[in-house]
Amino acid sequence: MNLYRIIQFSLLLSVLVTIIFVAIIDEKYIQAMFYCSIAMIVVIGLWLARATEEFVEYKNEQIRKEYQ
């Protein structure tokens, strides 16, 4: 489970760095791009967390069926 959290954190951090890098190149959008990247990280993070929970529940259901 910790591996999934590390992967999620790495993906979110790379998105943040990419968007901030683009904002630094075009200085007039730094503030807007920063808030956009924060919002994007929250949305992607919530989606990944939900997907991970669904995957874990699916695997648990498979294990339950296997032992019955």
Side-chain angles (χ1 to χ4, degrees):
M1 191 66 168
N2 288 334
L3 180 63
Y4 293 118
R5 294 293 175 199
I6 292 170
I7 292 171
Q8 286 176 357
F9 180 71
S10 299
L11 288 172
L12 295 177
L13 188 61
S14 66
V15 169
L16 175 67
V17 168
T18 302
I19 290 178
I20 290 177
F21 179 74
V22 169
I24 289 172
I25 290 174
D26 192 1
E27 294 175 2
K28 111 177 123 166
Y29 297 110
I30 288 179
Q31 188 175 8
M33 290 294 260
F34 177 75
Y35 289 124
C36 176
S37 65
I38 295 296
M40 196 176 200
I41 285 173
V42 169
V43 168
I44 292 172
L46 290 173
W47 181 80
L48 285 174
R50 183 179 55 95
T52 302
E53 275 185 31
E54 290 175 359
F55 178 72
V56 168
E57 186 60 37
Y58 171 74
K59 284 298 197 183
N60 286 339
E61 188 65 32
Q62 281 186 335
I63 291 170
R64 281 187 211 114
K65 287 180 182 178
E66 186 177 303
Y67 285 113
Q68 288 180 357

